Amino acid sequence: MVQKLKIAAAGLGRMGARHAINFLHRTPRAELVAAFTPDSKELAWARINLEPHGVKLYTNYDEMIKQEGLQAVVIGTATSVHAEEAIKAMHQGLHVLCEKPLSTNIPVALKHPHLKVMCGFSRRFDESYRDAWDKMDRGLIGRPTIIRSQTCDKHDPSDFFVEYAAWSGGVFVDMSVHDIDLTLWFFGDDIQVKSVSAYGMRAVQPELAKYDDYDNAMGIVEFWNGKVANFYCSRMMAHGQEDVTEIIGTEGKLTVNGNPQKNFVNYYGPQGVTREVPAHYYGRFEQAFVAEANEFAAACLDNTALPLKLRNAVKAVEIGALLQEALVKGIQIRLNEAGQRVSEVSASKL
Amino acid sequence: MVQKLKIAAAGLGRMGARHAINFLHRTPRAELVAAFTPDSKELAWARINLEPHGVKLYTNYDEMIKQEGLQAVVIGTATSVHAEEAIKAMHQGLHVLCEKPLSTNIPVALKHPHLKVMCGFSRRFDESYRDAWDKMDRGLIGRPTIIRSQTCDKHDPSDFFVEYAAWSGGVFVDMSVHDIDLTLWFFGDDIQVKSVSAYGMRAVQPELAKYDDYDNAMGIVEFWNGKVANFYCSRMMAHGQEDVTEIIGTEGKLTVNGNPQKNFVNYYGPQGVTREVPAHYYGRFEQAFVAEANEFAAACLDNTALPLKLRNAVKAVEIGALLQEALVKGIQIRLNEAGQRVSEVSASKL
Amino acid sequence: MVQKLKIAAAGLGRMGARHAINFLHRTPRAELVAAFTPDSKELAWARINLEPHGVKLYTNYDEMIKQEGLQAVVIGTATSVHAEEAIKAMHQGLHVLCEKPLSTNIPVALKHPHLKVMCGFSRRFDESYRDAWDKMDRGLIGRPTIIRSQTCDKHDPSDFFVEYAAWSGGVFVDMSVHDIDLTLWFFGDDIQVKSVSAYGMRAVQPELAKYDDYDNAMGIVEFWNGKVANFYCSRMMAHGQEDVTEIIGTEGKLTVNGNPQKNFVNYYGPQGVTREVPAHYYGRFEQAFVAEANEFAAACLDNTALPLKLRNAVKAVEIGALLQEALVKGIQIRLNEAGQRVSEVSASKL
Amino acid sequence: MVQKLKIAAAGLGRMGARHAINFLHRTPRAELVAAFTPDSKELAWARINLEPHGVKLYTNYDEMIKQEGLQAVVIGTATSVHAEEAIKAMHQGLHVLCEKPLSTNIPVALKHPHLKVMCGFSRRFDESYRDAWDKMDRGLIGRPTIIRSQTCDKHDPSDFFVEYAAWSGGVFVDMSVHDIDLTLWFFGDDIQVKSVSAYGMRAVQPELAKYDDYDNAMGIVEFWNGKVANFYCSRMMAHGQEDVTEIIGTEGKLTVNGNPQKNFVNYYGPQGVTREVPAHYYGRFEQAFVAEANEFAAACLDNTALPLKLRNAVKAVEIGALLQEALVKGIQIRLNEAGQRVSEVSASKL
């Protein structure tokens, strides 16, 4: 019989439940054997959707990771705890697929080089981004020079994102980190930041001020090799989720998702021609998450390389944090080629 | 000084007024010297918009065409009279640019070979159609084999088109004639009809039945060289005017106006992404009409060839009439290579 | 534990193998327990890809369908045999999901009303078509009146489709049957054909003449309720697979796949802006096939209705055969409201 | 007879000649009576294209502006001289339509309040931009908050733009000034700059270093009312000219030219689906230039307001100069609400 990766799911919230289902039903080389959640509502869901398929349920994370034969864990719990959970899993000898961010685990991961530890930057598994990368790699656009990339979410009129801002790390760390990771992928992960500038607005959620966060933000990152990245993140979109990336080279450019669309339907009526846009990132990236689960399982079973290095996940978070600092302080931050700060202006907010 | 074509405009209704203005203001090598209309409202418009520019106004067509020095006339009067007017103009030695259809003037035109007589198929002057034709001519799509072409107008809820049907010749003659003309242009004007089938609906204007006409119609024309054309015309569009043409070849295809748009604006809102569509054909073809006026003037002044032969205009109307007959009688009409009918079914309307 | 539908796969060619994999890995409520193929190459593939997952392999169809506990079979063998196989499966008391066409099984199916017997019209399971149907059903386009629908495949320069034409039933039965099925779905399956006209070309495969088939064909079907469908099928596309459907109503229209695209990448270079197109229908409809497998399993297990009736599959084939006859004979076929022929012209091919 | 604005054209280079032709042939209410050029090649062109239409030619600007009856002048000479020429024209009592930039003429213009003095920001006359503005003004996107706007030209492999950089003022002043002007239009011309950051590359023209200029540049401008503009300019596009503007509001967004296209043709071939892009800005904005000429003539004749104030043209240049300074010095520049600088970093280029 086929050998399958025995994996557990930690956290069964919106994204955690999707990871669990993907490993349960859409990852032929994996077997979801356990799941953990401290939440009674999530547990009830799991009793219906996971348990009948032979998944053992836990309300204690530490117990779950000791389950006999367990080889890996996918962590989709609250951001505040998943670093700790990831470290525990590694100490237990488990491979880890963890939702971003994962900034603190590097030293631990280095102590367990045989373990696969991956932060879930799902766009790396998206067919369109991969096609764009291949086209760039084949030289279609000459020398890539500029990236413009945005993560823009449909406006959620509830207060959810205000409270979320208390611990999210700020919009650049929470949202643009995806675009920054793409930049490391397309420009090469050895690029070094030279300068960072950022600006933000609170156009629809003025209460974000209490956590020094913003509902729209823009930043530019200049690298020491002369390349430049321009990021935009927003939680204000009326039309839906719109992640767009543009890679501009000396001989051409590539766009990914320049014309967002929910499906292949166009409606022609008195208003003109209308197409709908996905309401959420899962509507855009569902197949990328499935690919991620499958490739993670394969890497663990076959001991092959993962498509993204843990170190990059950390680097992406660091750049996001630099942008967030420039944004909050209203300064331009400059680094030398060794990555040390060389100057900054602490301009009083005028 | 520059020699200019002295031209008169006959008919100052919607399209006639546009022709007058185009020759007056947008045709450097022409000089609008006279205009005729029997309509008092149109005349009032002309007193304001034409007369101050030195255009002499007439309420009698026959008088106008005798104006000293007049060289040409553009005819945009009611369909019912413009054939007669065109003939009179030719007898007077005037070049003629006439709105379609122009079926009856061939013999007269042949007697005046030095005169330029052109039927206004404006799409022949459209930049996009010309670009498509050039691409086809350069072999980009291999051997052109199939044309699909439609003339679809925004629904006009008034009864205008019911009464218009009394004398328009039917939708295939009135609307699809443009698509048929394009077919003669792209396939070559020597193609011979082999078979014709057509179907129609009265989906929004059931009263069209009294004139045996339809508000939507579809027909297929097979030619003796094996090429096929598929036409669709409609007066039912909710979104605006949508003329689309597709030329399918053995190695590729070309589309013209596959994504109709009024301008370059897209509106992203709760409904998704919306662009508007021109409400009328002039919104789509305005620049083609200007080009038509300029090229007509140049052909008259320089005695150069016009981009479309009068004979083709007649052929287009004949094919349109065949389609209309097939539609109304509910039969398939077949012709031999000499253009004679070889069979038809007079199926009783079941 | 979860109850799963025990299903067998008959035929492991290109499409059969996909069905097998979909039921094996992407249909949580099904368990692929057996597979049959008479082909040694396909068998070798199955030993690697199916057997390790517990799938029992057969080289004899009759033996396979007697496997203990088997509940259903998915038939993806050669068209010539799958009708017979479907009948045998039904006699064995098995639910059947069969690739089109499935014209002969109606009487047998009627004798086994408790069995789920479905012909695989995958577009019925496509998210975009379903969205378009829902929009139509909600009245967005008023009264649907016209369907234009095409099945156009990328040109395969080999002789494959010439020999395939020997038994495929002709392009209207083999290709347009999908568009006809969509017509029955969007217009209602009780519509009755009034008249049929069809035209075809052999633009890239003249050898198709020996089987009276064509590489491009167009046909119009008029129904007794006044609605009209215009079909186009082609095996000549240079750019890839392009299935487009347009539903035109009295107050708007819906298009599905009006702008074919392989993914979300656009390449801007000296040529302009280019996007790629899927090479094959599976590139367009993969997720629809997965949905089909899942919904079939659910219908069998829960004894719920399938989204398409077997009778419609037969009706679609019948209309395809009418079009093919009109095409080959060069006639217009007319039926009365009872479905009987009222006239036809046996025009000698001129 | 109709009263026409007697206008002279100064400069008959690429753009100057277009202005001359537009006033000669496409501006019914203007009469081109004179033209000036110091260039013998341009003069030869004028002898053929202007003189036969009654245009008097000059090789001395000062003489021309004294021509009897002259009322206005359109200035399309080299940037280095047109400020001086504009001032002379105003002293002569002439209305002035001047190509950008026009930074120095404000005081003179103020002394002649009866004169129409307009800097040619052609996008203000573009139908699409006007439609977008109207939609914003009608509240379609809520409160406009962010503008992203780019001016990107097709790469010219010659050295033209290197030498041009010697006196162009830099890319932000030369190119982005259009986007800045749009920002003043969409955000209101009373907005005050709070902070400016900019980054640039020399990706295809390293020799631009000698003039401290760049072939690609990006900048962000934050305004005191909280709105933000993100500009990108480039001379490196492989595909053609691509001016895109996005206006993002609290309840929607508008894009102008998000899908650049030369015309309505799409070519489907082995590469996929391709549309071409205009090679130059005139291919995109020709009709806007014609509208500009007509509206300028109307404003002069009727003494009505021009659609853009001279003061704004100056303000646009000033903001462009700020961006250019931030770019060249590698600093973030901050201004207080009175427009005075409050801090800057003279970071040594590391």
Side-chain angles (χ1 to χ4, degrees):
Chain A
M1 288 296 286
V2 167
Q3 192 208 351
K4 297 195 175 190
L5 182 75
K6 288 186 195 313
I7 192 166
L12 298 173
R14 196 171 60 164
M15 200 54 228
R18 284 172 180 153
H19 279 304
I21 289 293
N22 285 345
F23 275 105
L24 179 62
H25 291 318
R26 305 168 93 176
T27 310
R29 299 188 67 192
E31 187 182 353
L32 187 75
V33 296
F36 151 74
T37 176
D39 181 276
S40 62
K41 215 164 123 191
E42 292 174 17
L43 195 68
W45 175 86
R47 290 214 191 284
I48 294 166
N49 292 286
L50 305 182
E51 206 169 41
H53 294 274
V55 180
K56 188 163 179 195
L57 304 183
Y58 294 85
T59 53
N60 182 305
Y61 178 79
D62 295 345
E63 276 182 33
M64 179 181 75
I65 59 176
K66 288 176 198 149
Q67 180 171 314
E68 176 74 25
L70 190 65
Q71 296 169 283
V73 64
V74 53
I75 298 176
T77 44
T79 300
S80 52
V81 297
H82 61 47
E84 180 197 341
E85 289 172 355
I87 292 166
K88 283 180 178 175
M90 286 185 266
H91 282 306
Q92 199 66 30
L94 301 179
H95 304 294
V96 176
L97 171 56
C98 188
E99 274 297 294
K100 51 106 189 149
L102 187 62
S103 52
T104 58
N105 298 358
I106 285 280
V108 180
L110 295 180
K111 287 185 208 148
H112 302 275
H114 63 292
L115 293 180
K116 303 295 171 187
V117 183
M118 182 166 81
C119 184
F121 285 120
S122 45
R123 289 172 216 189
R124 293 255 189 168
F125 299 88
D126 177 65
E127 181 203 345
S128 293
Y129 277 107
R130 288 178 166 189
D131 183 26
W133 197 93
D134 290 344
K135 284 181 162 60
M136 178 195 73
D137 193 49
R138 275 161 28 211
L140 216 58
I141 59 166
R143 204 169 61 253
T145 302
I146 295 164
I147 281 186
R148 293 196 288 186
S149 196
Q150 72 178 43
T151 296
C152 291
D153 284 356
K154 190 173 172 69
H155 178 49
D156 172 355
S158 79
D159 278 346
F160 176 79
F161 283 107
V162 175
E163 291 316 309
Y164 179 76
W167 48 270
S168 74
V171 282
F172 279 120
V173 172
D174 186 53
M175 301 187 79
S176 297
V177 70
H178 288 288
D179 304 293
I180 299 169
D181 177 62
L182 291 173
T183 304
L184 297 176
W185 184 24
F186 279 82
F187 279 177
D189 52 28
D190 57 341
I191 46 171
Q192 293 296 328
V193 173
K194 183 178 180 186
S195 172
V196 159
S197 292
Y199 296 91
M201 287 129 280
R202 294 176 194 113
V204 287
Q205 295 274 29
E207 323 88 74
L208 284 166
K210 68 176 163 178
Y211 298 117
D212 267 345
D213 209 1
Y214 299 82
D215 50 31
N216 284 269
M218 283 185 175
I220 302 182
V221 180
E222 182 185 27
F223 298 97
W224 272 99
N225 62 2
K227 296 182 196 292
V228 171
N230 194 332
F231 303 119
Y232 172 43
C233 56
S234 174
R235 300 200 197 275
M236 189 177 76
M237 298 295 105
H239 54 284
Q241 218 269 344
E242 188 185 8
D243 291 352
V244 185
T245 301
E246 203 176 350
I247 307 106
I248 305 172
T250 49
E251 296 167 33
K253 77 169 183 176
L254 293 159
T255 57
V256 179
N257 201 34
N259 286 300
Q261 60 184 67
K262 184 182 165 191
N263 57 28
F264 295 115
V265 176
N266 274 253
Y267 159 54
Y268 291 58
Q271 86 296 349
V273 185
T274 299
R275 67 174 188 279
E276 296 176 9
V277 173
H280 300 294
Y281 72 99
Y282 204 68
R284 166 66 181 87
F285 290 113
E286 178 175 353
Q287 296 304 320
F289 281 98
V290 173
E292 181 185 61
N294 279 275
E295 295 189 25
F296 177 72
C300 294
L301 291 168
D302 306 337
N303 195 22
T304 51
L306 288 165
L308 69 160
K309 298 175 203 154
L310 183 58
R311 193 174 298 278
N312 286 347
V314 176
K315 189 167 182 171
V317 170
E318 287 169 354
I319 295 173
L322 270 183
L323 281 160
Q324 194 73 19
E325 183 184 344
L327 172 62
V328 172
K329 294 188 180 167
I331 57 171
Q332 188 183 47
I333 300 173
R334 305 182 69 85
L335 307 180
N336 65 17
E337 290 191 71
Q340 300 160 319
R341 299 201 179 195
V342 291
S343 75
E344 58 185 69
V345 188
S346 304
S348 60
K349 290 272 183 176
L350 298 164
Chain B
M1 287 297 288
V2 167
Q3 190 207 355
K4 296 194 177 192
L5 182 75
K6 289 186 194 311
I7 191 166
L12 297 173
R14 196 171 61 164
M15 201 53 228
R18 284 172 179 152
H19 280 304
I21 289 293
N22 285 345
F23 276 105
L24 178 63
H25 292 318
R26 305 167 93 176
T27 310
R29 299 188 67 192
E31 186 183 355
L32 187 75
V33 296
F36 150 74
T37 175
D39 182 276
S40 62
K41 216 164 122 192
E42 291 174 17
L43 195 68
W45 175 87
R47 292 218 188 282
I48 294 166
N49 293 286
L50 305 182
E51 208 170 38
H53 294 274
V55 180
K56 188 163 181 196
L57 305 183
Y58 294 84
T59 53
N60 181 305
Y61 178 79
D62 295 345
E63 276 182 32
M64 178 181 75
I65 58 176
K66 287 178 198 147
Q67 181 171 312
E68 176 73 25
L70 190 66
Q71 295 169 285
V73 63
V74 52
I75 299 176
T77 43
T79 300
S80 52
V81 297
H82 60 48
E84 180 197 341
E85 290 172 354
I87 292 167
K88 284 181 177 174
M90 285 185 267
H91 281 307
Q92 198 67 29
L94 302 179
H95 304 293
V96 176
L97 171 57
C98 189
E99 274 297 293
K100 52 109 189 149
L102 187 62
S103 52
T104 57
N105 298 358
I106 284 280
V108 179
L110 295 181
K111 287 187 207 146
H112 303 277
H114 64 292
L115 294 179
K116 303 294 171 187
V117 183
M118 181 166 80
C119 185
F121 284 120
S122 45
R123 289 172 216 190
R124 294 254 189 168
F125 299 88
D126 177 65
E127 181 203 344
S128 293
Y129 277 107
R130 287 177 166 190
D131 184 26
W133 197 92
D134 289 344
K135 283 181 163 60
M136 178 193 74
D137 193 49
R138 274 161 30 211
L140 216 58
I141 60 166
R143 204 169 62 252
T145 303
I146 295 164
I147 280 186
R148 293 196 288 185
S149 196
Q150 72 178 43
T151 296
C152 292
D153 284 355
K154 191 173 171 69
H155 178 48
D156 172 355
S158 79
D159 278 345
F160 176 80
F161 283 107
V162 174
E163 292 317 309
Y164 179 76
W167 49 269
S168 74
V171 282
F172 279 120
V173 172
D174 185 53
M175 301 187 79
S176 296
V177 71
H178 287 288
D179 305 293
I180 299 168
D181 178 61
L182 291 173
T183 303
L184 297 176
W185 184 24
F186 279 82
F187 279 177
D189 52 27
D190 56 340
I191 47 172
Q192 292 296 328
V193 174
K194 183 179 180 185
S195 171
V196 159
S197 293
Y199 296 92
M201 287 129 280
R202 294 174 194 115
V204 288
Q205 294 275 30
E207 323 87 75
L208 283 167
K210 67 175 163 178
Y211 298 117
D212 267 344
D213 208 1
Y214 298 81
D215 50 32
N216 284 270
M218 282 184 176
I220 302 182
V221 180
E222 182 184 26
F223 297 97
W224 271 100
N225 62 2
K227 296 182 196 294
V228 171
N230 194 331
F231 302 119
Y232 172 44
C233 57
S234 173
R235 300 201 198 274
M236 188 177 77
M237 297 296 104
H239 54 283
Q241 218 268 347
E242 188 186 7
D243 290 352
V244 185
T245 301
E246 202 177 349
I247 306 108
I248 305 172
T250 49
E251 295 166 33
K253 76 169 182 175
L254 293 159
T255 57
V256 178
N257 201 34
N259 287 300
Q261 61 185 67
K262 184 182 165 190
N263 57 28
F264 294 115
V265 176
N266 274 253
Y267 159 54
Y268 292 59
Q271 86 296 347
V273 185
T274 299
R275 67 174 187 279
E276 296 176 10
V277 173
H280 300 294
Y281 72 99
Y282 204 68
R284 166 68 182 86
F285 290 112
E286 179 175 352
Q287 296 306 320
F289 281 97
V290 173
E292 181 185 62
N294 280 275
E295 296 189 24
F296 177 73
C300 294
L301 291 168
D302 306 337
N303 194 22
T304 51
L306 287 164
L308 68 160
K309 299 174 203 154
L310 183 59
R311 192 176 298 278
N312 286 347
V314 176
K315 189 167 182 172
V317 171
E318 286 169 354
I319 295 174
L322 269 183
L323 281 160
Q324 194 74 18
E325 181 183 345
L327 171 63
V328 172
K329 293 188 180 166
I331 56 171
Q332 189 182 45
I333 301 172
R334 305 182 70 84
L335 307 180
N336 65 18
E337 290 191 71
Q340 300 159 320
R341 300 201 179 195
V342 291
S343 75
E344 58 184 67
V345 189
S346 304
S348 59
K349 288 272 184 173
L350 297 164
Chain C
M1 289 295 287
V2 166
Q3 191 207 352
K4 296 194 176 191
L5 182 76
K6 289 185 194 310
I7 192 167
L12 298 172
R14 194 171 62 163
M15 202 52 228
R18 284 172 180 153
H19 279 305
I21 289 294
N22 284 345
F23 275 105
L24 179 61
H25 292 319
R26 305 167 93 175
T27 310
R29 299 188 68 192
E31 186 184 354
L32 187 75
V33 296
F36 150 75
T37 177
D39 182 275
S40 63
K41 215 164 122 192
E42 291 174 17
L43 196 67
W45 174 87
R47 292 215 188 283
I48 293 166
N49 293 285
L50 303 182
E51 206 169 42
H53 293 274
V55 180
K56 188 164 181 194
L57 305 183
Y58 294 85
T59 55
N60 181 303
Y61 178 80
D62 296 345
E63 276 181 31
M64 179 181 76
I65 58 174
K66 287 177 197 147
Q67 180 171 315
E68 177 73 25
L70 190 67
Q71 296 169 284
V73 63
V74 53
I75 298 177
T77 45
T79 299
S80 52
V81 297
H82 59 48
E84 180 197 342
E85 289 172 356
I87 292 167
K88 283 179 177 175
M90 285 185 265
H91 281 307
Q92 200 65 31
L94 302 178
H95 304 292
V96 176
L97 171 57
C98 188
E99 274 297 294
K100 51 112 195 146
L102 187 62
S103 52
T104 58
N105 297 358
I106 284 280
V108 179
L110 295 181
K111 286 186 208 147
H112 302 275
H114 64 293
L115 294 180
K116 303 294 170 187
V117 183
M118 181 167 80
C119 185
F121 285 120
S122 46
R123 287 172 217 190
R124 293 255 191 169
F125 300 89
D126 177 65
E127 181 204 344
S128 293
Y129 277 108
R130 288 178 166 190
D131 184 27
W133 197 93
D134 289 344
K135 283 181 163 61
M136 178 194 73
D137 193 49
R138 274 163 28 213
L140 217 57
I141 60 167
R143 204 170 60 251
T145 303
I146 295 165
I147 280 185
R148 294 196 288 185
S149 196
Q150 72 177 44
T151 297
C152 292
D153 284 355
K154 192 174 171 67
H155 179 48
D156 171 355
S158 79
D159 279 345
F160 176 79
F161 282 107
V162 175
E163 292 317 310
Y164 179 76
W167 49 270
S168 74
V171 283
F172 279 121
V173 172
D174 186 53
M175 302 187 80
S176 296
V177 70
H178 288 288
D179 305 292
I180 299 168
D181 177 61
L182 291 173
T183 303
L184 296 176
W185 185 25
F186 279 81
F187 279 177
D189 52 28
D190 56 340
I191 47 171
Q192 293 297 327
V193 173
K194 182 179 181 186
S195 171
V196 159
S197 293
Y199 296 91
M201 289 127 279
R202 294 176 193 113
V204 288
Q205 294 275 29
E207 323 88 73
L208 283 167
K210 68 175 162 178
Y211 297 118
D212 266 346
D213 209 1
Y214 298 82
D215 49 31
N216 284 271
M218 280 183 178
I220 302 182
V221 180
E222 181 185 27
F223 298 97
W224 271 100
N225 62 2
K227 296 182 196 293
V228 170
N230 194 331
F231 303 119
Y232 172 42
C233 56
S234 173
R235 300 200 196 275
M236 188 176 77
M237 298 296 104
H239 55 283
Q241 217 268 347
E242 189 186 6
D243 290 353
V244 186
T245 300
E246 202 177 351
I247 306 106
I248 305 172
T250 48
E251 296 166 32
K253 78 170 181 173
L254 294 159
T255 57
V256 179
N257 202 33
N259 287 298
Q261 59 184 66
K262 184 182 165 191
N263 56 29
F264 295 114
V265 176
N266 274 254
Y267 159 54
Y268 292 59
Q271 87 295 347
V273 185
T274 299
R275 68 174 187 277
E276 296 176 9
V277 173
H280 300 294
Y281 71 99
Y282 205 67
R284 167 68 181 86
F285 289 111
E286 178 175 353
Q287 296 306 320
F289 281 98
V290 174
E292 179 185 62
N294 280 275
E295 296 189 23
F296 177 73
C300 294
L301 291 168
D302 306 337
N303 193 23
T304 51
L306 288 164
L308 68 160
K309 299 175 204 154
L310 183 58
R311 194 175 297 279
N312 287 348
V314 176
K315 189 167 182 172
V317 171
E318 286 169 354
I319 295 174
L322 269 183
L323 281 159
Q324 194 74 18
E325 182 183 344
L327 172 63
V328 172
K329 293 188 180 165
I331 57 171
Q332 189 183 45
I333 300 173
R334 304 181 72 83
L335 307 180
N336 64 19
E337 288 190 73
Q340 299 160 319
R341 300 200 179 198
V342 290
S343 73
E344 57 184 70
V345 190
S346 303
S348 59
K349 290 271 185 175
L350 298 164
Chain D
M1 287 295 286
V2 166
Q3 190 207 355
K4 296 194 178 192
L5 181 75
K6 290 187 195 308
I7 192 168
L12 299 172
R14 195 171 61 164
M15 202 53 228
R18 284 172 180 152
H19 280 304
I21 290 293
N22 285 344
F23 275 104
L24 179 60
H25 291 318
R26 304 167 94 176
T27 310
R29 298 188 67 192
E31 186 183 354
L32 187 75
V33 296
F36 150 75
T37 176
D39 182 276
S40 63
K41 216 164 122 192
E42 291 173 18
L43 196 67
W45 174 87
R47 292 215 189 284
I48 294 166
N49 293 285
L50 304 182
E51 206 168 41
H53 294 275
V55 180
K56 186 163 183 196
L57 304 183
Y58 293 85
T59 54
N60 182 303
Y61 177 79
D62 296 344
E63 276 181 32
M64 178 181 76
I65 58 176
K66 288 177 198 146
Q67 180 172 313
E68 175 74 23
L70 190 66
Q71 296 169 284
V73 64
V74 53
I75 299 177
T77 44
T79 299
S80 52
V81 297
H82 59 49
E84 180 197 342
E85 290 173 354
I87 292 166
K88 284 180 176 174
M90 286 185 267
H91 281 307
Q92 199 65 32
L94 303 179
H95 304 294
V96 176
L97 170 57
C98 187
E99 274 298 293
K100 50 109 194 150
L102 186 62
S103 52
T104 58
N105 297 359
I106 284 280
V108 178
L110 295 181
K111 287 185 210 146
H112 302 276
H114 64 292
L115 295 180
K116 303 293 171 187
V117 183
M118 181 167 79
C119 185
F121 284 119
S122 46
R123 288 172 216 188
R124 293 254 190 169
F125 300 88
D126 177 65
E127 181 203 345
S128 293
Y129 277 108
R130 288 177 166 189
D131 184 26
W133 197 93
D134 289 343
K135 283 181 163 62
M136 178 194 73
D137 193 49
R138 274 163 27 212
L140 216 58
I141 60 167
R143 205 170 58 252
T145 303
I146 296 164
I147 280 186
R148 294 196 288 184
S149 196
Q150 72 177 43
T151 296
C152 291
D153 284 355
K154 192 174 171 68
H155 179 49
D156 171 356
S158 80
D159 278 346
F160 176 79
F161 283 106
V162 174
E163 292 316 311
Y164 179 76
W167 49 270
S168 74
V171 282
F172 280 120
V173 172
D174 186 53
M175 301 187 79
S176 296
V177 71
H178 288 289
D179 305 293
I180 299 168
D181 177 61
L182 291 173
T183 303
L184 296 177
W185 185 25
F186 280 81
F187 279 176
D189 52 29
D190 56 341
I191 48 171
Q192 293 296 328
V193 173
K194 183 179 181 186
S195 171
V196 159
S197 293
Y199 296 92
M201 288 129 280
R202 295 176 192 113
V204 289
Q205 294 276 31
E207 322 88 75
L208 283 167
K210 68 176 161 177
Y211 298 118
D212 266 345
D213 209 1
Y214 299 82
D215 49 31
N216 283 269
M218 280 183 179
I220 301 182
V221 180
E222 182 185 27
F223 298 97
W224 271 100
N225 62 2
K227 297 182 196 289
V228 171
N230 194 332
F231 302 119
Y232 171 43
C233 56
S234 173
R235 300 201 197 274
M236 188 176 78
M237 297 296 104
H239 54 284
Q241 218 269 345
E242 188 185 6
D243 290 352
V244 185
T245 300
E246 202 176 349
I247 306 106
I248 305 172
T250 49
E251 296 166 32
K253 76 169 181 174
L254 294 159
T255 57
V256 178
N257 201 34
N259 287 299
Q261 59 185 64
K262 185 183 165 191
N263 57 28
F264 294 115
V265 176
N266 273 254
Y267 160 55
Y268 291 59
Q271 87 296 347
V273 185
T274 299
R275 69 173 186 278
E276 296 176 10
V277 173
H280 300 295
Y281 71 99
Y282 204 67
R284 166 68 182 86
F285 290 111
E286 179 175 353
Q287 296 306 319
F289 280 98
V290 174
E292 181 185 60
N294 280 275
E295 296 189 24
F296 177 73
C300 294
L301 291 168
D302 306 337
N303 193 24
T304 52
L306 287 164
L308 69 160
K309 299 174 202 154
L310 184 58
R311 193 176 297 280
N312 286 348
V314 176
K315 189 168 182 171
V317 170
E318 287 169 354
I319 295 174
L322 269 183
L323 281 159
Q324 194 74 17
E325 182 183 344
L327 172 63
V328 172
K329 293 189 180 166
I331 57 171
Q332 189 183 43
I333 299 172
R334 304 182 72 83
L335 307 180
N336 63 19
E337 290 190 72
Q340 299 160 319
R341 300 202 179 195
V342 291
S343 75
E344 57 184 68
V345 190
S346 303
S348 58
K349 289 270 184 178
L350 297 165

